[in-house]
Amino acid sequence: MSQVLPATISPELFAQRADAIADAARELAAAGWTPATSSNFSMRIDDDHAAITISGRDKGRLGRDDIMLIDMQGQAVGTSARPSAETDLHTQIYRRWPEMNVVLHTHSRTQSVASRLFAHEGVVTLAGWELQKAIAGQTTHDSELAIPVFPNTQHMPELVAQVDAWLDSGRPLHAYLINGHGIYTWGRDMAETRRHLEALEFLLGCEMDLRSHSV
Ligand SMILES: [Zn+2]
């Protein structure tokens, strides 16, 4: 599958982003967070473009050729490859936050179970955990970190609308769960986004353990 780049995008930049996505994907796959070709990952290229994983590829074997270019409407650019079915959730984040450059979406066991367990509340409220400080802007364990749980659907405009509704209500958003599905989180660069994802995986596991021991 060949990728033709617009003249405004340097091949070196695209290759660098594609490699960063593929490296992260293989590492997250090794952790068991991307079962059965699930999950998708992207990085911003410029104001109008992002690099994203091609649909259906094994994330444990991802390479540069498994990454494609899209525009901020989620359309393929310069390739006949098909982007992830959930591409609109990535472009939504890039459009809402010009400072965000990476979006990671995984389906770990902990994320999947937590989403089911907290779905009826519509939110996981994390409080009192030191590791909340791993999330950008969270300076103390005393603050509350709300991770909404949105109902799952195969119809992306519905999910996009739910995310928009949360943001339009003025509440902060650093990540969200989709019921029975997985988590989305983002950041300014790959290191920050990986930190968010790992912290949330740990915090969701802790919160479930705590609830299972509480009466
Ligand atoms: Zn998914």
Side-chain angles (χ1 to χ4, degrees):
M1 200 76 69
S2 66
Q3 171 71 60
V4 179
L5 296 171
T8 52
I9 297 175
S10 87
E12 291 74 25
L13 177 69
F14 182 80
Q16 191 187 67
R17 298 280 192 270
D19 286 348
I21 293 170
D23 290 350
R26 287 195 308 274
E27 288 169 24
L28 294 168
W33 297 5
T34 71
T37 80
S38 69
S39 309
N40 37 73
F41 311 102
S42 70
M43 289 185 85
R44 182 194 293 279
I45 299 284
D46 60 23
D47 288 350
D48 303 316
H49 300 94
I52 193 166
T53 40
I54 293 176
S55 183
R57 301 286 167 92
D58 179 345
K59 303 304 181 292
R61 296 166 169 273
L62 226 61
R64 194 182 282 182
D65 292 344
D66 298 307
I67 314 299
M68 62 179 288
L69 190 69
I70 53 166
D71 63 23
M72 289 306 180
Q73 279 65 52
Q75 300 299 311
V77 176
T79 172
S80 57
R82 195 162 51 90
S84 156
E86 296 172 38
T87 294
D88 288 353
L89 297 173
H90 292 248
T91 55
Q92 176 181 35
I93 291 160
Y94 295 127
R95 287 199 312 261
R96 293 221 50 146
W97 288 295
E99 71 275 26
M100 295 304 169
N101 295 305
V102 181
V103 179
L104 299 177
H105 165 54
T106 53
H107 288 220
S108 80
R109 188 183 185 96
T110 297
Q111 294 152 16
S112 301
V113 176
S115 71
R116 295 288 299 270
L117 200 61
F118 294 98
H120 66 286
E121 295 173 40
V123 66
V124 187
T125 304
L126 300 164
W129 301 107
E130 175 67 14
L131 217 63
Q132 288 169 227
K133 286 162 54 187
I135 308 296
Q138 303 280 303
T139 53
T140 164
H141 66 282
D142 281 335
S143 58
E144 280 193 352
L145 177 61
I147 310 297
V149 186
F150 298 125
N152 197 18
T153 169
Q154 304 304 320
H155 187 54
M156 285 309 121
E158 278 176 51
L159 268 171
V160 168
Q162 292 174 54
V163 176
D164 275 337
W166 178 280
L167 287 167
D168 292 343
S169 74
R171 286 169 287 182
L173 188 67
H174 302 283
Y176 57 84
L177 288 162
I178 305 174
N179 188 14
H181 182 159
I183 198 164
Y184 270 85
T185 191
W186 47 88
R188 284 166 294 196
D189 55 32
M190 184 59 86
E192 180 178 272
T193 313
R194 286 285 299 267
R195 195 182 75 222
H196 287 172
L197 188 61
E198 284 169 27
L200 289 162
E201 170 80 6
F202 179 81
L203 289 165
L204 290 171
C206 287
E207 191 67 28
M208 285 197 294
D209 280 354
L210 189 66
R211 298 240 182 165
S212 75
H213 292 295
S214 309
V215 278

